[in-house]
Amino acid sequence: MPRTVRDVVFVDGVRTPFGKAGPKGIYHETRADDLVVKAIRELLRRNPGLDAKQIDEVAIAATTQIGDQGLTIGRTAGILAGLPQSVPGYSIDRMCAGALTAVTSVAGSVAFGAYDIAIAGGVEHMGRHPMGEGVDPNPRFVSEKLVDESALFMGMTAENLHDRYPHITKLRADEYAVRSQEKAAKAYANGKIQADLVPISVRRTNPEAGETGWGLVTADEPMRPGTTLENLSGLKTPFRVHGRVTAGNAAGLNDGATASLIASEDFARENNLPVKMRLVSYAFAGVEPEVMGYGPIPATEKALAKAGLDISEIGLFEVNEAFAVQVLAFLDHYGIADDDERVNQYGGAIAFGHPLASSGVRLMTQLARQFEEQPHVRYGLTTMCVGFGMGATVIWENPNFDGGSK
């Protein structure tokens, strides 16, 4: 019997505040799976009309699936969050696009009819598990020159992208980074971010004072409001002597988790759940691993073609800021100005942080919030580059679209 493809919607999304990785970071003594648990519980708290027994799947991404990020974290975090044991779960890995891939994976199952509603998200505790921990790259990659050795180091791939686009200078990347910090600070000041943050209680140790105590985290730790070009101009270029990539024009090493509810539109409306975005299309694309930051360009081309849309019809962009050069290459390709008001209206990962596998859902929650505020915008997209040479793009439709009248 032929099946009818169902409309898929983004019901809701939340995230923990993002922290700096390492001993001084807010989550140094907090487990990765506990961050996921907090996000899942918050989704259920915010949507009391959803019976947890109705959840068909829990898909949670992690890039480094080891320790407290291992053990099929979608399943274990679901149990720890208090979901019925009848709710299954699994883990997923597409490096930076982990949570984005969790969303598209469950979305495919919803469209097919296998699921009605699912939880999709991601976590990365880069303080406990640095990217690449425990991996053993096959020596053939380098010995047979399948990839350049720089492909294994994301910062080096960003320098390679600068080489490919020499007109994207360090100054231009720094200028973009300053704007990201300014937009994020403005978004916080206007209360645009806090509504989707899950407060996290954390245990903190101050070895110098010999003290241990508890605190409540309610804001992103990596943000550097007041950043200036002068501040950024003197930063070291750790990936290349006289390079262009610095800690100021790239996302840092971070900890954090995200979670979202993805459902069929019929199910959401029948159960009085919000419909914040409607899925239009998505696509993944591979590129040379040495210039992985180029990935969003072909991924977006594919997603647009599948949707029958032109880039001019996209009214809002959430582009993950792994590196400023990667966003600028994307904007240049489409003839979009560096300061175009449609792009990353609340700021991006350069300010908020980029806990790898969790970031895709952050892009979605921010786009959903903008859709609510801007009913004249019909389409938006979330896109990101992915380690080892990939790009990922999801195009969304605004269910609040009013025909374009402002």
Side-chain angles (χ1 to χ4, degrees):
M1 181 177 176
R3 289 181 176 268
T4 301
V5 175
R6 302 191 298 173
D7 286 336
V8 180
V9 297
F10 184 92
V11 169
D12 202 1
V14 299
R15 67 179 179 92
T16 69
F18 290 168
K20 295 179 180 178
K24 295 182 179 179
I26 51 178
Y27 297 132
H28 180 59
E29 297 189 37
T30 303
R31 291 178 59 96
D33 49 9
D34 283 338
L35 293 177
V36 180
V37 166
K38 292 287 188 180
I40 293 174
R41 285 178 173 171
E42 178 64 10
L43 274 181
L44 296 175
R45 187 194 70 80
R46 285 170 45 141
N47 296 278
L50 175 64
D51 184 344
K53 293 178 182 178
Q54 295 175 293
I55 297 170
D56 292 304
E57 187 68 272
V58 181
I60 301 296
T63 302
T64 307
Q65 296 193 8
I66 193 170
D68 54 346
Q69 291 182 180
L71 200 62
T72 314
I73 192 167
R75 172 59 171 167
T76 53
I79 293 174
L80 290 165
L83 296 181
Q85 292 190 359
S86 58
V87 178
Y90 65 101
S91 58
I92 206 163
D93 172 21
R94 200 196 292 264
M95 292 192 177
C96 310
L100 186 152
T101 304
V103 167
T104 59
S105 295
V106 301
S109 296
V110 169
F112 177 73
Y115 305 158
D116 289 320
I117 190 166
I119 291 173
V123 64
E124 209 73 54
H125 200 308
M126 301 179 77
R128 286 174 175 262
H129 308 295
M131 188 175 183
E133 179 188 13
V135 303
D136 179 18
N138 195 302
R140 289 180 51 227
F141 281 120
V142 176
S143 65
E144 297 181 15
K145 298 184 178 178
L146 299 174
V147 300
D148 184 82
E149 194 170 359
S150 63
L152 302 173
F153 305 93
M154 298 303 102
M156 292 184 183
T157 69
E159 290 284 5
N160 293 342
L161 196 59
H162 270 290
D163 292 342
R164 181 162 291 193
Y165 294 92
H167 61 281
I168 302 179
T169 61
K170 179 180 180 297
L171 174 60
R172 190 174 160 195
D174 286 349
E175 289 172 340
Y176 181 88
V178 169
R179 280 193 298 273
S180 180
Q181 295 285 354
E182 290 172 346
K183 287 189 287 188
K186 181 180 178 181
Y188 258 94
N190 293 334
K192 307 297 187 185
I193 305 299
Q194 297 91 325
D196 296 319
L197 296 183
V198 186
I200 305 291
S201 57
V202 295
R203 184 173 179 270
R204 301 294 298 273
T205 300
N206 183 348
E208 296 176 359
E211 298 174 346
T212 298
W214 289 85
L216 190 67
V217 176
T218 59
D220 294 301
E221 184 181 25
M223 292 173 58
R224 296 183 294 273
T227 295
T228 65
L229 276 177
E230 185 179 6
N231 297 148
L232 299 185
S233 63
L235 295 178
K236 295 178 181 178
T237 57
F239 305 107
R240 184 185 295 180
V241 176
H242 304 303
R244 292 139 298 192
V245 179
T246 71
N249 59 33
L253 304 179
N254 305 111
D255 308 330
T258 59
S260 66
L261 286 170
I262 307 298
S264 76
E265 184 162 1
D266 288 345
F267 178 89
R269 297 199 183 281
E270 287 167 6
N271 289 273
N272 297 313
L273 297 172
V275 173
K276 295 190 174 182
M277 300 194 292
R278 187 176 295 114
L279 182 63
V280 177
S281 72
Y282 61 85
F284 299 90
V287 298
E288 299 156 79
E290 297 86 354
V291 286
M292 65 98 191
Y294 184 81
I297 295 171
T300 298
E301 292 286 308
K302 288 175 70 174
L304 287 169
K306 290 177 183 296
L309 294 172
D310 184 82
I311 195 70
S312 63
E313 296 177 83
I314 304 301
L316 289 167
F317 296 81
E318 278 294 324
V319 186
N320 192 46
E321 298 170 354
F323 301 94
V325 63
Q326 157 248 312
V327 183
L328 294 170
F330 177 87
L331 298 180
D332 275 12
H333 178 82
Y334 287 109
I336 299 171
D338 294 5
D339 60 352
D340 192 298
E341 63 177 10
R342 298 172 296 168
V343 180
N344 293 7
Q345 292 191 344
Y346 297 164
I350 289 173
F352 298 120
H354 175 30
L356 302 181
S358 69
S359 285
V361 167
R362 178 189 66 78
L363 302 178
M364 295 171 192
T365 57
Q366 293 191 189
L367 180 61
R369 183 72 57 191
Q370 291 160 35
F371 272 171
E372 289 175 1
E373 297 172 346
Q374 299 171 69
H376 61 278
V377 173
R378 184 171 184 182
Y379 297 111
L381 68 75
T382 51
T383 188
M384 58 203 315
C385 60
V386 188
F388 229 67
M390 292 180 283
T393 298
V394 186
I395 297 176
W396 302 91
E397 183 179 19
N398 187 355
N400 311 299
F401 180 61
D402 61 8
S405 60
K406 285 196 178 184

